[in-house]
Amino acid sequence: MAHLKRSFKKFLLSGALAFAPFCTQADDEVLMTAFVTEDEFLASMPIVLTATRISQPVTEVPVSMTVIDREMIEASGFRDLADVLRLVPGFQVAHGNGTYFVPTYHGLVDDWPRHLQVQVDGRSVYLPLLSTVNWVHIGISIEDVERIEVIRGSNNAVYGANAFRGVVNIITKQPFQDIGSAVQVTAGALEAGQLRAGVEEKDFDRVADSLTSREVFARHGFTMGNWDFRLSGNYREDPGFAGVHDSKYIKSVSLRSTGSLSNTDALDIQLGYTEGPSGSGTIEGTMDLENPPRNIERQSNYQSIVWTRATGASSDLTARFYHNYFNQDDEINLGLFSDVLSAETGQSIAPAQIPILFPGIEDQDVYFSSLEGLVERYDAEVQQVLRRANAFELVWGVGLRQDSLNSRSMLTHDDTIYDVSQRIFANANLHVNPALHVNVGSMVEHNRIVGEFFSPRVGINYLFTPHRSVRFSVAHSERTPSLLEANIRHAAMLEDGTPLTYYRVADENITTEKLSSMEIGYVERFSKIDTTLDIKWFRERLRDVIFDATDEGFTGQPIIMEGDMANLDGIPDVPVVDESPFVYINGVNADLKGVEVQLQYRPSPYNFITLQYGYIEPDATQLRFLNLDGSDPDKETYRPVHFGVPWHTTSMLMSHRFSGRLDVSLGYYRMTRMRWYGDGDTIWKHQRWDARIAKRFHISKRVRAHSAVILQNLTKDYQEFRQENVFNQRVFLQGGIEF
Amino acid sequence: MLIRRLIFLFIFIMPALPTKADPGDILIILSSDTKPYQAIVKAFQQYLDTRQSKHSFRIQTRDVEDLSDKEVAEASLHIAVGTVATQVLLKKNVDVPLLSTLVTNSAVSSFRDKYSEDRKNRFYSIVLDQPPQRVMLLGKILLPDVSQYGFLIGEASKSLFYDYEKVAGKLKLQTTAAFTAGDRAIAQKIEQLLEYNKAIIALPDPQIMTPNTAKWLLFMSYQKSIPVIGYSNAYVKAGALAAVHSTPEDIGRQAAEWVETFFAEGVPDESDNFPSYFRVAVNRWVARSLTIEVDDEKQLGEKLELLEIKQRGLEQ
């Protein structure tokens, strides 16, 4: 403390000394600002490009990677972050409905893609409640994103268990990039035909009515001393797909502040809050008692603090701590137990009969929920990066995490369950000689669910020139079941908490999913023609992948249902619900092989063409039924899931800036047949063309504006994820101002 | 009385040099007693030591207020180290030549315009800035494919940019500049620069090259894979690709040579007050990340020196 005081006094004194001679006369003060002094040359500066921030050149990266920057995000016209992954070779993206996304790498996915680690500025946004990422509640606006880095393929050795099949790093803009204020309004017609008709008929009420998707984004950035701040807010309402109960009304606010504590120490603080109802339930026009049309209220918030000490470009130390909170309320009151039984059995059962049929149970309301629960994650990590010129780069660290889950409907009790995990990881990139780099890394994790597991990786990069290289890597990764997958007991329940019947349960012997992968990559940067080519050949051997299976011989249903159904005289063979629950089980094995190509021609940030193509050849089976007794020949224990992976995925994005700051871009997305599991369907081959025309203006010296027309799916309608999600032509009109 | 707190380090050097000017005391005044200022004196002394000059000196620390006009007037030559020291000495109405070191061209130009004719005529300098040609030639060596350079300039660096513009024309390079008064739209200006340029040359400017702005420029450029050529070693350490710069030791040595010539032959060539000694600093990690092939710093310095000589030859 005494040292600090001395330093402060010294600082004041030196400042006074430096300016003393200039303060004697007014004209000297004027002069002082008009010339450069030696201070500019002698001053030390904060380390901006720290070891962590400086990325390896593409030819030296030991994994296959795709970077989507701000210009590509804008040119794509996508309004949702998950959509942007359509520009990554090997990725498939679909709307589960209007309220959630199902992005996956190399297919094999149900409603809840479990195998991607998604991080926002280093903070994992994976939700142990859903065993996936809720992209709508990710807590940041697409306008705040600087770029998205996607590691294609397993990278547990660096990012831990959820990086099982890929990593999506979302990097938001630094607050100083957004100094000033901005407001942007977007209005969209999710059925462009209605908008077109309104325009043709010059019926402006109809035009306004057709613009059902509305979004307002506002941002203010400012600087205070060494600190930069950005405050962003977003409101979005969107009716979702026609005929599907999937509207959403989402409000979010986020704050990011970065500052220097000294020339070597920096802090990055982020806070965010999101809330709003989203539609869920039965397809409109049909009725499912356990899944009626309803709105689910969700709230999420996060807090993150990152301290970095950088001593130069060759070493830095980062300590990170964050907390994520996510809660969703979903409670479906199915009515009185007697009424439910009456409806299910077709017999009139009076409330008074309930205690007779089910001794000890009074007639009361029955509740069911498929999307209820509260999860929190606390995570702390310390990481060090060390680099030595022409020798090695080492990244190592340790982390501690606590996940908690409380969900009465999913766990059939009110207690919060916890998982505490520890991890230690190290990755070394050894430069054997200028041409040969060897990458060795591993993460060892331990949690309460499965104990200890280990994910090593070895890779070699051979650089023919600094601009051309081949890489070869092999990796073994394991992913632990999430808290939910390991503990689920999803049931319809009486009001007093008594479970009636299990809808989905966890397999007692559930264990880690395993992936052994091998890839050979070729990267060449043709600097004279501003083009980069990346080709990857891969083989993946997936084992024990967790999926739903139906347990035909399940004997664990609550006694109340099992024993007392027999008391329902005259109404045998009509169970209240199916007694064979789904089981989360290590039930899918798959061997995948294929090729991915990405080509980027980029003569300037605003003029580019990118091409992405993925070819995947799967050989996969899924365990569908447990304990089959063989009485039903149509039921097979295993089924092939060859079309759980599309064989061909293609995308293209091109953009050109014309004079007058007029940007025109065109996107193309194509996917062959794919079976989406869970609530999904088989979706046949489809393609989509998008276009965006945008213009920027300078209204005055300090005021800038922009407007854009975004057209999605210019050609014929197609389905996403399930048959009901019909993606029509969509039109978005956007206007914004910055000042 | 803040001014009374200003501490000067006086070094009286009485060398037995072969002099053309009248031999006498050299009065060196430092703007601060911190390391870079002391380093100049040390290098100055070491150089004279290696020349086996017979000289003696004494060091005294005093408040400037205690500095009598007599002491100032008795010296044969004043050497100011830093801007503050230069300005204090310029205000002394004495007929003693003044060599200003560790100052910038922009400060020297301002002082020349401001102070009395008598003193101005005997006011010499060795500046910290590198000649624009040297900086642009470094760009040519490191980035042979780049022909368009962007500059972020403010009021203080405007005239320096014009010098760069002239040199760029000779080297068949193009320049664009974004002018800012250091306002909050600076990030937008940087964005504009990055839109149209393949490399950036950062110029020192107290209003715009604050630690914050320097951070922004480096960060945003790197995100677009656009290299920045800086003006100091610290800038390179912070994340610029490279810089050509002179250390206080380089300046001290040059000052000693200047003094030798001054006493032996009279005032050295006044037309070139740029540093004779310089070095190149490179951020290897940034270079590697941007796949820019670079030699080691020493080789780069030698290459630059040769290219500079060659260029001078072409111009003559």
Side-chain angles (χ1 to χ4, degrees), chain A residues 646-684:
Chain A
W647 285 49
H648 304 274
T649 314
T650 311
S651 65
M652 181 277 299
L653 180 65
M654 58 195 293
S655 182
H656 182 71
R657 172 161 288 183
F658 292 89
S659 61
R661 292 177 159 256
L662 178 70
D663 293 331
V664 178
S665 51
L666 193 64
Y668 173 72
Y669 311 93
R670 181 180 185 273
M671 199 166 82
T672 54
R673 180 169 70 157
M674 175 170 168
R675 172 81 166 95
W676 301 80
Y677 295 97
D679 286 343
D681 296 318
T682 295
I683 301 296
W684 293 88

Short mmCIF file of all heavy atoms in Angstrom, two decimals, chain A residues 646-684:
data_model
loop_
_atom_site.label_atom_id
_atom_site.label_comp_id
_atom_site.label_asym_id
_atom_site.label_seq_id
_atom_site.Cartn_x
_atom_site.Cartn_y
_atom_site.Cartn_z
N PRO A 646 -26.52 -35.66 -43.57
CA PRO A 646 -26.69 -35.38 -45.00
C PRO A 646 -25.37 -35.65 -45.72
O PRO A 646 -24.31 -35.30 -45.21
CB PRO A 646 -27.03 -33.88 -45.03
CG PRO A 646 -26.37 -33.33 -43.83
CD PRO A 646 -26.35 -34.42 -42.79
N TRP A 647 -25.46 -36.26 -46.86
CA TRP A 647 -24.22 -36.62 -47.55
C TRP A 647 -23.53 -35.39 -48.13
O TRP A 647 -22.31 -35.36 -48.23
CB TRP A 647 -24.53 -37.66 -48.66
CG TRP A 647 -24.79 -39.02 -48.08
CD1 TRP A 647 -25.63 -39.31 -47.05
CD2 TRP A 647 -24.20 -40.26 -48.48
NE1 TRP A 647 -25.60 -40.65 -46.77
CE2 TRP A 647 -24.74 -41.26 -47.64
CE3 TRP A 647 -23.29 -40.62 -49.46
CZ2 TRP A 647 -24.38 -42.60 -47.75
CZ3 TRP A 647 -22.94 -41.96 -49.59
CH2 TRP A 647 -23.47 -42.93 -48.74
N HIS A 648 -24.32 -34.42 -48.53
CA HIS A 648 -23.72 -33.23 -49.14
C HIS A 648 -24.28 -31.96 -48.47
O HIS A 648 -25.50 -31.81 -48.36
CB HIS A 648 -24.02 -33.15 -50.64
CG HIS A 648 -23.59 -34.37 -51.39
ND1 HIS A 648 -22.31 -34.53 -51.86
CD2 HIS A 648 -24.28 -35.48 -51.73
CE1 HIS A 648 -22.22 -35.70 -52.47
NE2 HIS A 648 -23.40 -36.31 -52.41
N THR A 649 -23.41 -31.08 -48.09
CA THR A 649 -23.81 -29.77 -47.58
C THR A 649 -22.97 -28.73 -48.29
O THR A 649 -21.75 -28.85 -48.34
CB THR A 649 -23.54 -29.65 -46.06
OG1 THR A 649 -24.00 -30.82 -45.41
CG2 THR A 649 -24.24 -28.44 -45.46
N THR A 650 -23.64 -27.72 -48.84
CA THR A 650 -22.91 -26.71 -49.62
C THR A 650 -23.38 -25.32 -49.21
O THR A 650 -24.56 -25.12 -48.94
CB THR A 650 -23.21 -26.87 -51.13
OG1 THR A 650 -23.04 -28.24 -51.48
CG2 THR A 650 -22.29 -26.02 -52.00
N SER A 651 -22.48 -24.39 -49.18
CA SER A 651 -22.90 -23.01 -48.99
C SER A 651 -21.95 -22.07 -49.72
O SER A 651 -20.80 -22.42 -49.99
CB SER A 651 -22.98 -22.64 -47.51
OG SER A 651 -21.71 -22.68 -46.91
N MET A 652 -22.45 -20.91 -50.03
CA MET A 652 -21.66 -19.91 -50.75
C MET A 652 -22.13 -18.53 -50.30
O MET A 652 -23.32 -18.31 -50.07
CB MET A 652 -21.88 -20.09 -52.27
CG MET A 652 -21.11 -19.15 -53.16
SD MET A 652 -21.86 -17.54 -53.41
CE MET A 652 -23.41 -17.93 -54.17
N LEU A 653 -21.20 -17.64 -50.16
CA LEU A 653 -21.58 -16.26 -49.86
C LEU A 653 -20.67 -15.36 -50.65
O LEU A 653 -19.44 -15.53 -50.64
CB LEU A 653 -21.42 -15.98 -48.35
CG LEU A 653 -21.79 -14.57 -47.88
CD1 LEU A 653 -23.28 -14.30 -48.08
CD2 LEU A 653 -21.42 -14.37 -46.41
N MET A 654 -21.27 -14.44 -51.37
CA MET A 654 -20.45 -13.48 -52.11
C MET A 654 -20.97 -12.08 -51.83
O MET A 654 -22.17 -11.87 -51.63
CB MET A 654 -20.43 -13.77 -53.61
CG MET A 654 -21.77 -13.79 -54.28
SD MET A 654 -21.70 -14.56 -55.90
CE MET A 654 -20.70 -13.38 -56.78
N SER A 655 -20.03 -11.14 -51.78
CA SER A 655 -20.43 -9.78 -51.46
C SER A 655 -19.57 -8.82 -52.26
O SER A 655 -18.38 -9.06 -52.48
CB SER A 655 -20.26 -9.53 -49.96
OG SER A 655 -20.68 -8.23 -49.64
N HIS A 656 -20.18 -7.75 -52.67
CA HIS A 656 -19.41 -6.72 -53.40
C HIS A 656 -19.87 -5.35 -52.94
O HIS A 656 -21.07 -5.09 -52.79
CB HIS A 656 -19.61 -6.86 -54.91
CG HIS A 656 -18.80 -5.86 -55.68
ND1 HIS A 656 -17.43 -5.96 -55.79
CD2 HIS A 656 -19.17 -4.76 -56.36
CE1 HIS A 656 -16.99 -4.93 -56.51
NE2 HIS A 656 -18.03 -4.20 -56.88
N ARG A 657 -18.90 -4.48 -52.72
CA ARG A 657 -19.23 -3.09 -52.37
C ARG A 657 -19.09 -2.24 -53.63
O ARG A 657 -17.99 -2.12 -54.18
CB ARG A 657 -18.32 -2.58 -51.27
CG ARG A 657 -18.50 -1.09 -51.02
CD ARG A 657 -17.99 -0.64 -49.69
NE ARG A 657 -18.86 -1.12 -48.62
CZ ARG A 657 -18.68 -0.81 -47.32
NH1 ARG A 657 -17.67 -0.06 -46.96
NH2 ARG A 657 -19.51 -1.27 -46.40
N PHE A 658 -20.20 -1.71 -54.06
CA PHE A 658 -20.18 -0.81 -55.20
C PHE A 658 -19.86 0.59 -54.72
O PHE A 658 -19.85 0.86 -53.52
CB PHE A 658 -21.54 -0.83 -55.91
CG PHE A 658 -21.85 -2.14 -56.58
CD1 PHE A 658 -22.49 -3.16 -55.90
CD2 PHE A 658 -21.46 -2.36 -57.89
CE1 PHE A 658 -22.76 -4.37 -56.51
CE2 PHE A 658 -21.73 -3.57 -58.52
CZ PHE A 658 -22.37 -4.59 -57.82
N SER A 659 -19.61 1.47 -55.67
CA SER A 659 -19.32 2.85 -55.27
C SER A 659 -20.56 3.42 -54.57
O SER A 659 -21.69 2.98 -54.79
CB SER A 659 -18.94 3.69 -56.48
OG SER A 659 -20.02 3.70 -57.37
N GLY A 660 -20.33 4.39 -53.74
CA GLY A 660 -21.44 4.96 -52.97
C GLY A 660 -21.81 4.10 -51.79
O GLY A 660 -22.92 4.21 -51.28
N ARG A 661 -20.90 3.24 -51.38
CA ARG A 661 -21.12 2.38 -50.21
C ARG A 661 -22.40 1.55 -50.32
O ARG A 661 -23.18 1.44 -49.38
CB ARG A 661 -21.13 3.21 -48.93
CG ARG A 661 -19.79 3.80 -48.62
CD ARG A 661 -19.81 4.66 -47.40
NE ARG A 661 -18.43 4.76 -46.90
CZ ARG A 661 -17.99 4.10 -45.83
NH1 ARG A 661 -18.77 3.31 -45.17
NH2 ARG A 661 -16.73 4.23 -45.46
N LEU A 662 -22.59 1.04 -51.51
CA LEU A 662 -23.72 0.15 -51.74
C LEU A 662 -23.20 -1.29 -51.71
O LEU A 662 -22.38 -1.68 -52.53
CB LEU A 662 -24.36 0.46 -53.10
CG LEU A 662 -25.54 -0.42 -53.49
CD1 LEU A 662 -26.76 -0.10 -52.62
CD2 LEU A 662 -25.88 -0.23 -54.97
N ASP A 663 -23.66 -2.06 -50.75
CA ASP A 663 -23.23 -3.45 -50.62
C ASP A 663 -24.30 -4.38 -51.15
O ASP A 663 -25.47 -4.27 -50.77
CB ASP A 663 -22.98 -3.80 -49.15
CG ASP A 663 -21.80 -3.04 -48.56
OD1 ASP A 663 -20.89 -2.72 -49.34
OD2 ASP A 663 -21.81 -2.76 -47.35
N VAL A 664 -23.89 -5.30 -51.99
CA VAL A 664 -24.82 -6.30 -52.50
C VAL A 664 -24.22 -7.67 -52.23
O VAL A 664 -23.05 -7.91 -52.53
CB VAL A 664 -25.06 -6.12 -54.02
CG1 VAL A 664 -25.99 -7.20 -54.54
CG2 VAL A 664 -25.65 -4.74 -54.29
N SER A 665 -25.00 -8.53 -51.62
CA SER A 665 -24.47 -9.87 -51.34
C SER A 665 -25.50 -10.93 -51.67
O SER A 665 -26.71 -10.67 -51.70
CB SER A 665 -24.03 -9.97 -49.88
OG SER A 665 -25.06 -9.54 -49.03
N LEU A 666 -24.99 -12.11 -51.90
CA LEU A 666 -25.82 -13.23 -52.31
C LEU A 666 -25.34 -14.47 -51.56
O LEU A 666 -24.13 -14.74 -51.51
CB LEU A 666 -25.66 -13.44 -53.82
CG LEU A 666 -26.64 -14.35 -54.52
CD1 LEU A 666 -28.06 -13.79 -54.45
CD2 LEU A 666 -26.22 -14.52 -55.98
N GLY A 667 -26.28 -15.19 -50.98
CA GLY A 667 -25.91 -16.42 -50.25
C GLY A 667 -26.64 -17.62 -50.83
O GLY A 667 -27.78 -17.50 -51.30
N TYR A 668 -26.00 -18.77 -50.80
CA TYR A 668 -26.61 -20.00 -51.32
C TYR A 668 -26.34 -21.11 -50.31
O TYR A 668 -25.21 -21.28 -49.83
CB TYR A 668 -25.98 -20.35 -52.66
CG TYR A 668 -26.42 -21.69 -53.21
CD1 TYR A 668 -27.71 -21.87 -53.71
CD2 TYR A 668 -25.54 -22.78 -53.22
CE1 TYR A 668 -28.11 -23.10 -54.20
CE2 TYR A 668 -25.93 -24.01 -53.73
CZ TYR A 668 -27.22 -24.18 -54.21
OH TYR A 668 -27.62 -25.39 -54.69
N TYR A 669 -27.39 -21.87 -49.98
CA TYR A 669 -27.27 -22.92 -48.98
C TYR A 669 -28.01 -24.16 -49.49
O TYR A 669 -29.18 -24.07 -49.87
CB TYR A 669 -27.86 -22.46 -47.63
CG TYR A 669 -27.33 -21.09 -47.25
CD1 TYR A 669 -28.03 -19.93 -47.61
CD2 TYR A 669 -26.10 -20.94 -46.62
CE1 TYR A 669 -27.53 -18.67 -47.32
CE2 TYR A 669 -25.59 -19.69 -46.33
CZ TYR A 669 -26.31 -18.55 -46.69
OH TYR A 669 -25.81 -17.30 -46.42
N ARG A 670 -27.32 -25.29 -49.45
CA ARG A 670 -27.94 -26.51 -49.99
C ARG A 670 -27.60 -27.69 -49.09
O ARG A 670 -26.47 -27.78 -48.59
CB ARG A 670 -27.41 -26.77 -51.40
CG ARG A 670 -27.99 -27.99 -52.08
CD ARG A 670 -27.40 -28.14 -53.48
NE ARG A 670 -28.01 -29.23 -54.22
CZ ARG A 670 -27.60 -30.48 -54.14
NH1 ARG A 670 -26.58 -30.81 -53.38
NH2 ARG A 670 -28.20 -31.43 -54.84
N MET A 671 -28.56 -28.55 -48.92
CA MET A 671 -28.33 -29.73 -48.09
C MET A 671 -29.12 -30.90 -48.66
O MET A 671 -30.28 -30.73 -49.06
CB MET A 671 -28.80 -29.43 -46.66
CG MET A 671 -28.25 -30.33 -45.61
SD MET A 671 -28.56 -29.61 -43.99
CE MET A 671 -30.22 -30.10 -43.70
N THR A 672 -28.51 -32.06 -48.69
CA THR A 672 -29.25 -33.23 -49.17
C THR A 672 -30.05 -33.84 -48.02
O THR A 672 -30.02 -33.35 -46.90
CB THR A 672 -28.28 -34.27 -49.78
OG1 THR A 672 -27.28 -34.56 -48.81
CG2 THR A 672 -27.64 -33.76 -51.04
N ARG A 673 -30.73 -34.91 -48.32
CA ARG A 673 -31.68 -35.49 -47.36
C ARG A 673 -31.05 -35.72 -45.98
O ARG A 673 -29.94 -36.23 -45.87
CB ARG A 673 -32.21 -36.82 -47.91
CG ARG A 673 -33.21 -37.48 -46.98
CD ARG A 673 -33.89 -38.64 -47.63
NE ARG A 673 -33.01 -39.78 -47.85
CZ ARG A 673 -33.43 -41.03 -47.99
NH1 ARG A 673 -34.72 -41.31 -47.95
NH2 ARG A 673 -32.60 -42.02 -48.20
N MET A 674 -31.80 -35.37 -44.97
CA MET A 674 -31.31 -35.60 -43.61
C MET A 674 -32.47 -35.93 -42.68
O MET A 674 -33.52 -35.31 -42.73
CB MET A 674 -30.58 -34.36 -43.08
CG MET A 674 -30.16 -34.50 -41.63
SD MET A 674 -29.06 -33.19 -41.09
CE MET A 674 -29.07 -33.46 -39.32
N ARG A 675 -32.23 -36.91 -41.84
CA ARG A 675 -33.21 -37.27 -40.81
C ARG A 675 -32.82 -36.56 -39.52
O ARG A 675 -31.71 -36.71 -39.03
CB ARG A 675 -33.18 -38.78 -40.58
CG ARG A 675 -34.00 -39.25 -39.40
CD ARG A 675 -35.48 -39.37 -39.77
NE ARG A 675 -36.20 -40.12 -38.75
CZ ARG A 675 -36.86 -39.55 -37.73
NH1 ARG A 675 -36.88 -38.25 -37.59
NH2 ARG A 675 -37.52 -40.31 -36.86
N TRP A 676 -33.74 -35.72 -39.05
CA TRP A 676 -33.53 -35.05 -37.77
C TRP A 676 -34.28 -35.87 -36.73
O TRP A 676 -35.47 -36.16 -36.91
CB TRP A 676 -34.07 -33.62 -37.81
CG TRP A 676 -33.45 -32.76 -38.87
CD1 TRP A 676 -33.76 -32.74 -40.19
CD2 TRP A 676 -32.39 -31.81 -38.70
NE1 TRP A 676 -32.96 -31.83 -40.87
CE2 TRP A 676 -32.11 -31.24 -39.96
CE3 TRP A 676 -31.65 -31.37 -37.60
CZ2 TRP A 676 -31.14 -30.27 -40.17
CZ3 TRP A 676 -30.68 -30.39 -37.81
CH2 TRP A 676 -30.43 -29.85 -39.07
N TYR A 677 -33.66 -36.21 -35.66
CA TYR A 677 -34.29 -37.10 -34.67
C TYR A 677 -35.06 -36.30 -33.62
O TYR A 677 -35.25 -35.09 -33.76
CB TYR A 677 -33.23 -38.02 -34.05
CG TYR A 677 -32.67 -38.94 -35.11
CD1 TYR A 677 -31.48 -38.64 -35.77
CD2 TYR A 677 -33.38 -40.07 -35.51
CE1 TYR A 677 -30.99 -39.46 -36.78
CE2 TYR A 677 -32.91 -40.89 -36.52
CZ TYR A 677 -31.72 -40.57 -37.14
OH TYR A 677 -31.27 -41.38 -38.15
N GLY A 678 -35.51 -36.98 -32.58
CA GLY A 678 -36.34 -36.33 -31.57
C GLY A 678 -37.68 -35.95 -32.20
O GLY A 678 -38.35 -36.79 -32.80
N ASP A 679 -38.04 -34.69 -32.12
CA ASP A 679 -39.29 -34.23 -32.73
C ASP A 679 -39.14 -33.94 -34.22
O ASP A 679 -40.07 -33.47 -34.85
CB ASP A 679 -39.77 -32.95 -32.03
CG ASP A 679 -40.33 -33.25 -30.65
OD1 ASP A 679 -40.63 -34.43 -30.38
OD2 ASP A 679 -40.45 -32.31 -29.83
N GLY A 680 -37.96 -34.20 -34.74
CA GLY A 680 -37.70 -33.88 -36.15
C GLY A 680 -38.17 -34.95 -37.11
O GLY A 680 -38.63 -36.01 -36.71
N ASP A 681 -38.07 -34.62 -38.38
CA ASP A 681 -38.49 -35.52 -39.45
C ASP A 681 -37.37 -35.65 -40.46
O ASP A 681 -36.36 -34.97 -40.38
CB ASP A 681 -39.72 -34.92 -40.18
CG ASP A 681 -40.93 -34.80 -39.27
OD1 ASP A 681 -41.17 -35.75 -38.51
OD2 ASP A 681 -41.58 -33.74 -39.32
N THR A 682 -37.64 -36.50 -41.45
CA THR A 682 -36.72 -36.54 -42.58
C THR A 682 -37.03 -35.35 -43.48
O THR A 682 -38.18 -35.13 -43.88
CB THR A 682 -36.90 -37.84 -43.38
OG1 THR A 682 -36.52 -38.92 -42.54
CG2 THR A 682 -36.06 -37.84 -44.64
N ILE A 683 -36.01 -34.57 -43.75
CA ILE A 683 -36.18 -33.40 -44.62
C ILE A 683 -35.41 -33.68 -45.91
O ILE A 683 -34.22 -34.01 -45.86
CB ILE A 683 -35.64 -32.12 -43.94
CG1 ILE A 683 -36.38 -31.87 -42.60
CG2 ILE A 683 -35.76 -30.91 -44.86
CD1 ILE A 683 -37.85 -31.58 -42.71
N TRP A 684 -36.09 -33.53 -47.00
CA TRP A 684 -35.49 -33.87 -48.29
C TRP A 684 -34.57 -32.77 -48.76
O TRP A 684 -34.56 -31.67 -48.22
CB TRP A 684 -36.59 -34.18 -49.32
CG TRP A 684 -37.32 -35.44 -48.92
CD1 TRP A 684 -38.40 -35.50 -48.09
CD2 TRP A 684 -36.96 -36.77 -49.23
NE1 TRP A 684 -38.74 -36.81 -47.88
CE2 TRP A 684 -37.90 -37.62 -48.57
CE3 TRP A 684 -35.97 -37.36 -50.02
CZ2 TRP A 684 -37.85 -39.01 -48.67
CZ3 TRP A 684 -35.92 -38.73 -50.12
CH2 TRP A 684 -36.84 -39.55 -49.46
#
